[in-house]
Amino acid sequence: MSNDKSIDSPTAEGRRRYPSFTDREVEPPVSYPAGYNTAFEPPVPCTCTPACKSRCAGECGCEACKLMFAEYADMMGWYGPEPFVATEEHLQQYREDLGPSGK
């Protein structure tokens, strides 16, 4: 693990975008701190800043949001035999479908 906490820890904006929660679907329930995309193991910290788009797709370098967008793109069937390159239309659809993050 890196000694650089800016990479290993979520930002204040990341904590706003990914609120804390308790998964009560598992036994015993698991609590997750704010600021992490918990769809992956280990959870990925969000490093967004207030300057990021309201629904970031990782353009700022945030791995948590990049992975969230990649998961959406996969569900939409945008990946195929050729490498997928997101267009403005893809990003617009993603943002319209999911709306602002952390609300």
Side-chain angles (χ1 to χ4, degrees), residues 17-63:
R17 289 170 184 255
Y18 293 86
S20 63
F21 74 97
T22 300
D23 182 356
R24 299 187 194 297
E25 299 290 319
V26 296
E27 192 59 45
V30 177
S31 292
Y32 293 98
Y36 292 87
N37 181 339
T38 58
F40 301 90
E41 192 58 45
V44 181
C46 176
T47 56
C48 283
T49 69
C52 293
K53 300 255 186 202
S54 63
R55 172 61 68 181
C56 179
E59 303 98 322
C60 67
C62 174
E63 282 298 310

Side-chain angles (χ1 to χ4, degrees), residues 2 12 29:
S2 167

Side-chain angles (χ1 to χ4, degrees), residues 5 7 14 21 38 40 46-47 65 70 73 79 93 99 101:
K5 288 297 177 191
I7 294 172
F21 74 97
T38 58
F40 301 90
C46 176
T47 56
C65 292
Y79 291 103
Q93 181 178 339
S101 61

